[in-house]
Amino acid sequence: MSDSRAVPDSSSSASAFVRVSGLVVDEVSATSLRGHADLGADHLTDWGTVHGGVYASIVESAGGAGAGYAVADRGQVAVGVHNGTDFLRASAGGRVEVTAAALFQGRSQQLWDVVITQSETGKVLARGQLRLQNVDRPGDTGVADATDPAAG
């Protein structure tokens, strides 16, 4: 990454939710993202397979990080408005590779494709499309924040 735009990953600066999902962002540009996650016992259902919600969360986080990176220099963030994740294969965990690619990037919306692949086998476990709305970064709009006690 060659500039200072913030990108969520599993470091201490990421939200607790992103850290728990296990997503680590390895590389990001305005049109693509590459990352990985090590999925273990905390990500499994009672039946011993990775919970589909983990995959949906990774799709949301990876697509959102890439889309947010694409609009950060405009003073915007990208917020998910639709996440359609398909679960293709069951897995008992292990390392997964995450790739995200922009399919469409407009003034007000973006569409990203995210693929989650089992590192060991190369098989696709889940695939999702994430539609996002580009909005002004909170605090940059000039509108008082209702949660700010100083806003009155």
Side-chain angles (χ1 to χ4, degrees):
M1 181 164 66
S2 60
D3 64 35
S4 61
R5 292 183 272 183
V7 177
D9 62 19
S10 65
S11 70
S12 61
S13 67
S15 73
F17 187 85
V18 172
R19 285 194 308 271
V20 169
S21 78
L23 178 64
V24 175
V25 176
D26 297 319
E27 184 179 322
V28 66
S29 74
T31 59
S32 67
L33 177 140
R34 187 180 53 77
H36 69 275
D38 292 311
L39 304 180
D42 290 343
H43 301 107
L44 303 181
T45 66
D46 292 342
W47 301 275
T49 60
V50 176
H51 193 287
V54 173
Y55 294 135
S57 296
I58 290 173
V59 166
E60 183 89 18
S61 295
Y69 187 87
V71 298
D73 61 347
R74 300 188 329 214
Q76 293 184 308
V77 296
V79 295
V81 295
H82 178 76
N83 180 338
T85 300
D86 293 309
F87 314 115
L88 305 174
R89 281 189 177 78
S91 169
R95 174 151 298 193
V96 296
E97 302 300 323
V98 179
T99 58
L103 299 175
F104 171 80
Q105 292 180 298
R107 182 184 55 77
S108 62
Q109 289 197 352
Q110 298 184 58
L111 182 64
W112 283 67
D113 181 59
V114 181
V115 179
I116 302 169
T117 305
Q118 186 80 50
S119 296
E120 184 178 314
T121 64
K123 293 186 177 183
V124 176
L125 302 175
R127 171 180 220 114
Q129 281 193 352
L130 182 67
R131 179 168 298 282
L132 305 105
Q133 185 78 29
N134 302 328
V135 298
D136 291 334
R137 183 177 293 119
D140 289 354
T141 62
V143 177
D145 181 352
T147 62
D148 181 358

PDB file of all heavy atoms in Angstrom, residues 64-85:
ATOM      1  N   GLY A  64     -15.888  -4.123   1.516  1.00  0.00           N
ATOM      2  CA  GLY A  64     -15.977  -2.790   2.116  1.00  0.00           C
ATOM      3  C   GLY A  64     -14.629  -2.112   2.234  1.00  0.00           C
ATOM      4  O   GLY A  64     -14.507  -0.897   2.029  1.00  0.00           O
ATOM      5  N   ALA A  65     -13.594  -2.887   2.561  1.00  0.00           N
ATOM      6  CA  ALA A  65     -12.255  -2.307   2.675  1.00  0.00           C
ATOM      7  C   ALA A  65     -11.758  -1.835   1.314  1.00  0.00           C
ATOM      8  O   ALA A  65     -11.212  -0.734   1.188  1.00  0.00           O
ATOM      9  CB  ALA A  65     -11.278  -3.326   3.269  1.00  0.00           C
ATOM     10  N   GLY A  66     -11.956  -2.648   0.291  1.00  0.00           N
ATOM     11  CA  GLY A  66     -11.535  -2.244  -1.053  1.00  0.00           C
ATOM     12  C   GLY A  66     -12.308  -1.045  -1.547  1.00  0.00           C
ATOM     13  O   GLY A  66     -11.736  -0.078  -2.078  1.00  0.00           O
ATOM     14  N   ALA A  67     -13.627  -1.074  -1.374  1.00  0.00           N
ATOM     15  CA  ALA A  67     -14.465   0.040  -1.825  1.00  0.00           C
ATOM     16  C   ALA A  67     -14.155   1.314  -1.045  1.00  0.00           C
ATOM     17  O   ALA A  67     -14.111   2.408  -1.614  1.00  0.00           O
ATOM     18  CB  ALA A  67     -15.939  -0.337  -1.682  1.00  0.00           C
ATOM     19  N   GLY A  68     -13.938   1.176   0.254  1.00  0.00           N
ATOM     20  CA  GLY A  68     -13.589   2.340   1.071  1.00  0.00           C
ATOM     21  C   GLY A  68     -12.261   2.944   0.653  1.00  0.00           C
ATOM     22  O   GLY A  68     -12.102   4.169   0.611  1.00  0.00           O
ATOM     23  N   TYR A  69     -11.317   2.094   0.338  1.00  0.00           N
ATOM     24  CA  TYR A  69     -10.015   2.546  -0.138  1.00  0.00           C
ATOM     25  C   TYR A  69     -10.179   3.348  -1.431  1.00  0.00           C
ATOM     26  O   TYR A  69      -9.524   4.372  -1.638  1.00  0.00           O
ATOM     27  CB  TYR A  69      -9.112   1.335  -0.362  1.00  0.00           C
ATOM     28  CG  TYR A  69      -7.683   1.663  -0.689  1.00  0.00           C
ATOM     29  CD1 TYR A  69      -6.748   1.869   0.328  1.00  0.00           C
ATOM     30  CD2 TYR A  69      -7.254   1.770  -1.999  1.00  0.00           C
ATOM     31  CE1 TYR A  69      -5.435   2.164   0.031  1.00  0.00           C
ATOM     32  CE2 TYR A  69      -5.935   2.067  -2.304  1.00  0.00           C
ATOM     33  CZ  TYR A  69      -5.034   2.269  -1.285  1.00  0.00           C
ATOM     34  OH  TYR A  69      -3.730   2.566  -1.590  1.00  0.00           O
ATOM     35  N   ALA A  70     -11.103   2.890  -2.301  1.00  0.00           N
ATOM     36  CA  ALA A  70     -11.302   3.542  -3.593  1.00  0.00           C
ATOM     37  C   ALA A  70     -11.848   4.962  -3.472  1.00  0.00           C
ATOM     38  O   ALA A  70     -11.585   5.797  -4.334  1.00  0.00           O
ATOM     39  CB  ALA A  70     -12.239   2.700  -4.460  1.00  0.00           C
ATOM     40  N   VAL A  71     -12.616   5.244  -2.413  1.00  0.00           N
ATOM     41  CA  VAL A  71     -13.243   6.569  -2.293  1.00  0.00           C
ATOM     42  C   VAL A  71     -12.672   7.430  -1.164  1.00  0.00           C
ATOM     43  O   VAL A  71     -13.113   8.555  -0.961  1.00  0.00           O
ATOM     44  CB  VAL A  71     -14.782   6.458  -2.134  1.00  0.00           C
ATOM     45  CG1 VAL A  71     -15.392   5.807  -3.364  1.00  0.00           C
ATOM     46  CG2 VAL A  71     -15.157   5.710  -0.864  1.00  0.00           C
ATOM     47  N   ALA A  72     -11.689   6.907  -0.457  1.00  0.00           N
ATOM     48  CA  ALA A  72     -11.137   7.643   0.690  1.00  0.00           C
ATOM     49  C   ALA A  72     -10.577   9.004   0.299  1.00  0.00           C
ATOM     50  O   ALA A  72     -10.737   9.980   1.047  1.00  0.00           O
ATOM     51  CB  ALA A  72     -10.064   6.801   1.386  1.00  0.00           C
ATOM     52  N   ASP A  73      -9.941   9.085  -0.869  1.00  0.00           N
ATOM     53  CA  ASP A  73      -9.354  10.361  -1.272  1.00  0.00           C
ATOM     54  C   ASP A  73     -10.416  11.393  -1.639  1.00  0.00           C
ATOM     55  O   ASP A  73     -10.110  12.573  -1.792  1.00  0.00           O
ATOM     56  CB  ASP A  73      -8.360  10.166  -2.415  1.00  0.00           C
ATOM     57  CG  ASP A  73      -8.970   9.585  -3.678  1.00  0.00           C
ATOM     58  OD1 ASP A  73     -10.121   9.093  -3.617  1.00  0.00           O
ATOM     59  OD2 ASP A  73      -8.303   9.609  -4.724  1.00  0.00           O
ATOM     60  N   ARG A  74     -11.678  10.982  -1.744  1.00  0.00           N
ATOM     61  CA  ARG A  74     -12.790  11.910  -1.996  1.00  0.00           C
ATOM     62  C   ARG A  74     -13.475  12.316  -0.703  1.00  0.00           C
ATOM     63  O   ARG A  74     -14.529  12.958  -0.717  1.00  0.00           O
ATOM     64  CB  ARG A  74     -13.829  11.259  -2.921  1.00  0.00           C
ATOM     65  CG  ARG A  74     -13.253  10.868  -4.253  1.00  0.00           C
ATOM     66  CD  ARG A  74     -14.244  10.391  -5.289  1.00  0.00           C
ATOM     67  NE  ARG A  74     -15.440   9.701  -4.870  1.00  0.00           N
ATOM     68  CZ  ARG A  74     -16.009   8.715  -5.568  1.00  0.00           C
ATOM     69  NH1 ARG A  74     -15.464   8.310  -6.715  1.00  0.00           N
ATOM     70  NH2 ARG A  74     -17.110   8.147  -5.148  1.00  0.00           N
ATOM     71  N   GLY A  75     -12.924  11.886   0.440  1.00  0.00           N
ATOM     72  CA  GLY A  75     -13.541  12.197   1.729  1.00  0.00           C
ATOM     73  C   GLY A  75     -14.792  11.371   1.982  1.00  0.00           C
ATOM     74  O   GLY A  75     -15.679  11.791   2.716  1.00  0.00           O
ATOM     75  N   GLN A  76     -14.858  10.175   1.378  1.00  0.00           N
ATOM     76  CA  GLN A  76     -16.030   9.321   1.515  1.00  0.00           C
ATOM     77  C   GLN A  76     -15.668   7.973   2.136  1.00  0.00           C
ATOM     78  O   GLN A  76     -14.501   7.611   2.218  1.00  0.00           O
ATOM     79  CB  GLN A  76     -16.666   9.070   0.138  1.00  0.00           C
ATOM     80  CG  GLN A  76     -17.264  10.301  -0.501  1.00  0.00           C
ATOM     81  CD  GLN A  76     -17.957   9.964  -1.800  1.00  0.00           C
ATOM     82  OE1 GLN A  76     -17.386   9.322  -2.682  1.00  0.00           O
ATOM     83  NE2 GLN A  76     -19.201  10.412  -1.929  1.00  0.00           N
ATOM     84  N   VAL A  77     -16.706   7.277   2.552  1.00  0.00           N
ATOM     85  CA  VAL A  77     -16.615   5.882   2.962  1.00  0.00           C
ATOM     86  C   VAL A  77     -17.630   5.119   2.124  1.00  0.00           C
ATOM     87  O   VAL A  77     -18.546   5.719   1.550  1.00  0.00           O
ATOM     88  CB  VAL A  77     -16.890   5.684   4.476  1.00  0.00           C
ATOM     89  CG1 VAL A  77     -15.832   6.379   5.309  1.00  0.00           C
ATOM     90  CG2 VAL A  77     -18.283   6.164   4.844  1.00  0.00           C
ATOM     91  N   ALA A  78     -17.462   3.813   2.043  1.00  0.00           N
ATOM     92  CA  ALA A  78     -18.413   2.972   1.316  1.00  0.00           C
ATOM     93  C   ALA A  78     -19.111   2.076   2.330  1.00  0.00           C
ATOM     94  O   ALA A  78     -18.452   1.399   3.111  1.00  0.00           O
ATOM     95  CB  ALA A  78     -17.686   2.139   0.260  1.00  0.00           C
ATOM     96  N   VAL A  79     -20.439   2.108   2.317  1.00  0.00           N
ATOM     97  CA  VAL A  79     -21.215   1.305   3.263  1.00  0.00           C
ATOM     98  C   VAL A  79     -22.012   0.256   2.500  1.00  0.00           C
ATOM     99  O   VAL A  79     -22.621   0.543   1.471  1.00  0.00           O
ATOM    100  CB  VAL A  79     -22.148   2.178   4.138  1.00  0.00           C
ATOM    101  CG1 VAL A  79     -21.332   3.102   5.022  1.00  0.00           C
ATOM    102  CG2 VAL A  79     -23.113   2.989   3.293  1.00  0.00           C
ATOM    103  N   GLY A  80     -21.990  -0.953   3.008  1.00  0.00           N
ATOM    104  CA  GLY A  80     -22.690  -2.053   2.348  1.00  0.00           C
ATOM    105  C   GLY A  80     -24.194  -1.863   2.382  1.00  0.00           C
ATOM    106  O   GLY A  80     -24.764  -1.515   3.421  1.00  0.00           O
ATOM    107  N   VAL A  81     -24.844  -2.088   1.241  1.00  0.00           N
ATOM    108  CA  VAL A  81     -26.304  -2.027   1.181  1.00  0.00           C
ATOM    109  C   VAL A  81     -26.907  -3.382   0.791  1.00  0.00           C
ATOM    110  O   VAL A  81     -28.088  -3.609   0.995  1.00  0.00           O
ATOM    111  CB  VAL A  81     -26.812  -0.908   0.231  1.00  0.00           C
ATOM    112  CG1 VAL A  81     -26.412   0.458   0.770  1.00  0.00           C
ATOM    113  CG2 VAL A  81     -26.297  -1.087  -1.181  1.00  0.00           C
ATOM    114  N   HIS A  82     -26.106  -4.267   0.214  1.00  0.00           N
ATOM    115  CA  HIS A  82     -26.575  -5.621  -0.084  1.00  0.00           C
ATOM    116  C   HIS A  82     -25.384  -6.566  -0.153  1.00  0.00           C
ATOM    117  O   HIS A  82     -24.407  -6.302  -0.843  1.00  0.00           O
ATOM    118  CB  HIS A  82     -27.327  -5.679  -1.414  1.00  0.00           C
ATOM    119  CG  HIS A  82     -27.769  -7.072  -1.751  1.00  0.00           C
ATOM    120  ND1 HIS A  82     -28.833  -7.679  -1.136  1.00  0.00           N
ATOM    121  CD2 HIS A  82     -27.266  -7.989  -2.608  1.00  0.00           C
ATOM    122  CE1 HIS A  82     -28.975  -8.909  -1.617  1.00  0.00           C
ATOM    123  NE2 HIS A  82     -28.034  -9.120  -2.505  1.00  0.00           N
ATOM    124  N   ASN A  83     -25.500  -7.670   0.568  1.00  0.00           N
ATOM    125  CA  ASN A  83     -24.474  -8.704   0.588  1.00  0.00           C
ATOM    126  C   ASN A  83     -25.143 -10.009   0.178  1.00  0.00           C
ATOM    127  O   ASN A  83     -26.003 -10.517   0.888  1.00  0.00           O
ATOM    128  CB  ASN A  83     -23.881  -8.811   2.003  1.00  0.00           C
ATOM    129  CG  ASN A  83     -22.809  -9.867   2.138  1.00  0.00           C
ATOM    130  OD1 ASN A  83     -22.730 -10.810   1.363  1.00  0.00           O
ATOM    131  ND2 ASN A  83     -21.992  -9.728   3.163  1.00  0.00           N
ATOM    132  N   GLY A  84     -24.765 -10.532  -0.975  1.00  0.00           N
ATOM    133  CA  GLY A  84     -25.277 -11.816  -1.430  1.00  0.00           C
ATOM    134  C   GLY A  84     -24.142 -12.815  -1.457  1.00  0.00           C
ATOM    135  O   GLY A  84     -23.344 -12.822  -2.387  1.00  0.00           O
ATOM    136  N   THR A  85     -24.043 -13.630  -0.415  1.00  0.00           N
ATOM    137  CA  THR A  85     -22.952 -14.595  -0.299  1.00  0.00           C
ATOM    138  C   THR A  85     -23.492 -16.005  -0.504  1.00  0.00           C
ATOM    139  O   THR A  85     -24.458 -16.401   0.143  1.00  0.00           O
ATOM    140  CB  THR A  85     -22.268 -14.486   1.079  1.00  0.00           C
ATOM    141  OG1 THR A  85     -21.746 -13.166   1.242  1.00  0.00           O
ATOM    142  CG2 THR A  85     -21.135 -15.490   1.207  1.00  0.00           C
TER     143      THR A  85
END
